[in-house]
Amino acid sequence: MAYKAAIFDMDGTILNTLDDLTDALDYSLKETGHACKYDSRMVAQFFGSGVYVAIKRALSIENGFPAEKLDLIGTANEPDDCFKDDAEIERVSEIYRPYYDAHCDIKTGPYPGILALLKKLRDSGIKTAVVSNKPDSAVQTLVDDMFPDSFDFALGEKEGIKRKPAPDMVNECLRVLEIPREDCVYIGDSEVDFATGQNSGMHVISVDWGFRSHKYLTRIPVERIVSDAEELGNEIFNDPYAKA
């Protein structure tokens, strides 16, 4: 028995956005006089909890914060020695947001097999959605450009709705889809996505082709991990938690 709806994260899950994120972050840091030229592996560690947290992590690294503790920034366990100047983070963010909006689809593209999987899901009557901590303007642009007629709903970070891992964005998605949460699955590539699914009362499938490695995901530990789109499709179509 298949799930009735699949809710996807965007960055690192359905889209490889890393090069455009790296370029936009580099530009905004350079324009505001900060250290830049971070490689994509480091930038992947910055993102997952929204733009503000990504910039906070970058500025923390600039100020000597240890990379192995980056994932604590932006959580309830945030260390006291990370970068704390909210005004400066916002100043960088004000450069980053419009630049990324204008350059979000230059080097970005779907991961292998994702377009075919989405078509198969929709042809089978399974509803699909995107819930991302990426700014909503960029989410809508990328869904329109990369995934025409592929999603029933898409939502990015916007004022008035708490970002993931709070359940608010997923709850709004469920309201629009009109599907009970027990019939839905959440799919993402990070610790934030796993926590989002748990906080939303949903099962989670984690993918290991995105911004977090297979080894990292096993340490969380997540519920289940897939390594390609075909394997992901099998998990969605054969819900192991379905009642007989």
Side-chain angles (χ1 to χ4, degrees), residues 102-231:
H103 301 83
C104 65
D105 56 357
I106 295 175
K107 301 176 181 178
T108 288
Y111 285 103
I114 291 297
L115 288 171
L117 172 60
L118 291 171
K119 183 178 187 303
K120 184 178 179 181
L121 293 175
R122 290 172 65 80
D123 287 348
S124 301
I126 298 173
K127 291 189 176 182
T128 57
V130 174
V131 172
S132 170
N133 277 339
K134 181 188 291 298
D136 187 64
S137 55
V139 169
Q140 303 306 329
T141 295
L142 289 169
V143 165
D144 289 344
D145 289 353
M146 307 285 178
F147 303 103
D149 302 318
S150 294
F151 289 104
D152 296 287
F153 180 71
L155 177 65
E157 184 180 24
K158 61 196 307 185
E159 189 174 352
I161 304 179
K162 290 182 180 179
R163 63 173 172 82
K164 303 182 299 182
D168 302 51
M169 298 176 79
V170 171
N171 289 340
E172 175 63 12
C173 178
L174 294 173
R175 184 190 68 81
V176 173
L177 295 182
E178 298 182 318
I179 300 289
R181 67 185 69 244
E182 59 268 23
D183 292 328
C184 301
V185 63
Y186 189 86
I187 300 135
D189 70 308
S190 74
E191 70 285 354
V192 174
D193 296 308
F194 182 61
T196 299
Q198 287 193 313
N199 292 339
S200 303
M202 296 167 57
H203 291 294
V204 183
I205 303 171
S206 298
V207 305
D208 64 6
W209 56 72
F211 289 10
R212 303 291 188 268
S213 68
H214 187 100
K215 182 177 180 180
Y216 180 93
L217 293 171
T218 60
R219 289 201 306 262
I220 292 176
V222 297
E223 190 175 321
R224 46 191 159 153
I225 305 173
V226 298
S227 298
D228 58 47
E230 182 179 1
E231 190 178 358

